Amino acid sequence: MRQICGLPWKNPTITKDGVVTVCCADCNLRLAVGDIRERTFKQIWEGPEITQLRLAHLMGDFSLNPKCRCCRGANYSYMTQEEMALYLKIIGRQDILPSLQGRIPSLEEPQHILLQIETNDTCNLVCDFCDFHNKNPVNDILAARKKVVKDFSMGRMDIGVYKRIVDEVAGYIESCPFFSNSSKKLNMMWVWGGEPFLHPDFVSMLDYAMEKPIYHGGEIDTNAVLLGKNVVDRLMELNLNSFTITFSIDAASKQTYEKVRKGGKYDQMVQNIIYFLKRADEKNFLGFRTMLQFIITPLNHHEVKDFIAFWDKYAREGRDYLFLRILHNGDCEPENKLYLDTLEKHEIRQLKNPKIRLMEPNLFRQNAT
């Protein structure tokens, strides 16, 4: 049986409507455990719904969400053995601890809590591979959300709700009885269903969280189309230490880019990212990095080497990375094959370029039960 996923304990993921789940892959909200508009974060994160979900994960029952069977989340071991033992003691289930031996990896130190917030679920692009905004009859995310969220409509998170979430999660982390003291730091990701820079208050929302004493670092994903000079200059005024920004590029030519990322302007995106990298050089934040991302798909795999050659000229070693990855959804096998075939055909591993980061293919499908 695969190792335990720590996300149901240390990865609160909250939609723009305030629905709380435990993983950014749960776009359909099958694993939703509460609504922040109806209960406090503490009530949700210690409630019966999430307790049931955690116990199911511990016992290897992934029936609530089949995606868990082949999810790379099994690699993200956020709970230490000591934390897990303390948690099971608190809920009165120490009896199952012996059965978990060997499935809770030993960590040198506890890992921090990761709060993921969806500031909006709207996007300025319609990407070929995006189930969220490019309607997929098999996986209609918006239809699924309408079943969970009362009066659902697409839009953005109210900034008052956002501040309450940040305040409540920060306060909970500081007092949580089963988190070790060294893990009581808050990492944040502002990602999910939409393009974050569509929210008019997004930079202010970043700043609000960064001012929290327990804030430790953050990450945003953006298509960079809206990242004009004024926005970049405002970002550079923030505390971007221990911060990662991922630029979703996925092409090396205007023709392919506009097929993969419909509605995007390739030249504008490139100019925006180059300016961002220049300003980041000037600021030299501690622990700051960028990920120039290329998701390998049937539409773009032939351009992977051109992508590397182009962005290698602008990436600074030790800070900027050319990130090649698979598309993350529930059907892992076809993605893995295309990804591995592309790496082999273009001899990517043989390049020995320290700027290249590879997502290793999923290894858990056959071992998920």
Side-chain angles (χ1 to χ4, degrees):
M1 189 178 292
R2 72 172 213 189
Q3 66 186 38
I4 293 167
C5 175
L7 302 189
W9 287 265
K10 291 193 175 181
N11 187 47
T13 303
I14 305 178
T15 73
K16 70 99 171 53
D17 301 292
V19 175
V20 181
T21 182
V22 299
C23 178
C24 64
D26 183 34
C27 298
N28 291 305
L29 304 181
R30 292 190 181 99
L31 307 180
V33 293
D35 190 327
I36 203 75
R37 298 168 300 179
E38 299 173 355
R39 290 186 283 168
T40 66
F41 178 76
K42 176 180 171 64
Q43 289 171 333
I44 294 171
W45 214 239
E46 295 180 355
E49 299 91 346
I50 198 165
T51 300
Q52 179 185 6
L53 174 63
R54 288 167 177 165
L55 288 173
H57 263 64
L58 292 178
M59 303 307 293
D61 176 7
F62 307 116
S63 58
L64 288 174
N65 189 358
K67 283 186 177 182
C68 295
R69 291 188 177 277
C70 63
C71 177
R72 289 184 56 83
N75 279 338
Y76 308 152
S77 309
Y78 290 98
M79 290 286 279
T80 65
Q81 296 181 27
E82 292 75 17
E83 287 175 324
M84 186 63 73
L86 183 55
Y87 171 75
L88 292 174
K89 180 178 180 181
I90 289 171
I91 66 169
R93 289 304 310 268
Q94 304 99 308
D95 58 299
I96 68 173
L97 186 59
S99 68
L100 306 180
Q101 297 304 314
R103 295 180 56 213
I104 309 174
S106 299
L107 301 173
E108 292 184 2
E109 59 183 41
Q111 299 187 10
H112 306 145
I113 290 78
L114 177 62
L115 169 62
Q116 297 185 238
I117 293 185
E118 177 187 73
T119 56
N120 54 283
D121 57 10
T122 53
C123 193
N124 53 328
L125 305 183
V126 179
C127 298
D128 177 75
F129 50 76
C130 177
D131 287 340
F132 208 104
H133 297 283
N134 186 16
K135 274 198 171 184
N136 181 338
V138 177
N139 186 28
D140 191 337
I141 292 172
L142 297 183
R145 287 197 172 193
K146 288 177 182 178
K147 296 178 181 178
V148 177
V149 181
K150 297 176 182 176
D151 303 319
F152 175 83
S153 64
M154 297 185 71
R156 58 178 182 258
M157 179 178 281
D158 176 77
I159 194 165
V161 173
Y162 171 84
K163 289 181 177 180
R164 184 164 71 84
I165 291 170
V166 173
D167 291 346
E168 288 190 12
V169 173
Y172 180 79
I173 290 170
E174 292 179 313
S175 62
C176 180
F178 58 84
F179 292 157
S180 65
N181 288 333
S182 57
S183 75
K184 292 184 177 182
K185 295 180 181 179
L186 176 63
N187 284 356
M188 291 190 63
M189 290 182 69
W190 293 267
V191 298
W192 213 5
E195 165 55 45
F197 286 99
L198 276 175
H199 198 300
D201 299 313
F202 184 60
V203 177
S204 298
M205 296 165 95
L206 292 176
D207 189 40
Y208 185 82
M210 290 172 176
E211 292 297 317
K212 292 295 177 184
I214 68 167
Y215 172 80
H216 183 261
E219 179 177 346
I220 57 177
D221 285 16
T222 175
N223 57 47
V225 174
L226 302 176
L227 212 61
K229 289 186 177 181
N230 291 339
V231 177
V232 172
D233 291 341
R234 287 183 65 198
L235 284 173
M236 293 299 148
E237 296 173 1
L238 303 181
N239 171 22
L240 296 184
N241 294 325
S242 301
F243 196 87
T244 298
I245 182 165
T246 297
F247 296 117
S248 300
I249 302 172
D250 306 325
S253 70
K254 184 176 187 295
Q255 181 181 15
T256 298
Y257 179 81
E258 293 178 0
K259 287 181 181 178
V260 176
R261 295 190 160 268
K262 299 179 182 70
K265 297 180 179 179
Y266 180 76
D267 294 335
Q268 179 182 340
M269 175 272 298
V270 170
Q271 292 171 10
N272 289 349
I273 295 176
I274 291 174
Y275 180 72
F276 182 96
L277 296 176
K278 175 179 175 292
R279 292 288 283 116
D281 265 342
E282 296 169 356
K283 299 295 289 189
N284 198 29
F285 294 108
L286 182 66
F288 175 83
R289 67 178 184 172
T290 63
M291 308 293 280
L292 304 164
Q293 180 173 273
F294 190 100
I295 298 176
I296 293 175
T297 75
L299 289 177
N300 67 7
H301 63 94
H302 60 287
E303 290 192 350
V304 64
K305 210 158 188 178
D306 291 337
F307 169 85
I308 292 171
F310 180 83
W311 288 107
D312 189 53
K313 297 179 296 186
Y314 298 99
R316 190 180 75 181
E317 187 172 340
R319 187 201 67 186
D320 307 318
Y321 298 94
L322 315 177
F323 183 38
L324 311 182
R325 57 164 291 182
I326 62 170
L327 178 63
H328 183 57
N329 66 24
D331 187 13
C332 300
E333 296 307 315
E335 299 165 8
N336 287 349
K337 186 177 188 309
L338 175 63
Y339 177 79
L340 292 173
D341 288 348
T342 301
L343 297 187
E344 182 178 358
K345 178 179 178 180
H346 296 283
E347 300 181 330
I348 301 302
R349 297 186 191 276
Q350 284 72 41
L351 294 177
K352 304 297 183 183
N353 186 336
K355 299 177 189 176
I356 296 176
R357 288 285 179 91
L358 303 178
M359 175 183 278
E360 293 304 327
N362 201 293
L363 302 176
F364 295 98
R365 188 176 183 87
Q366 68 275 25
N367 299 319
T369 57

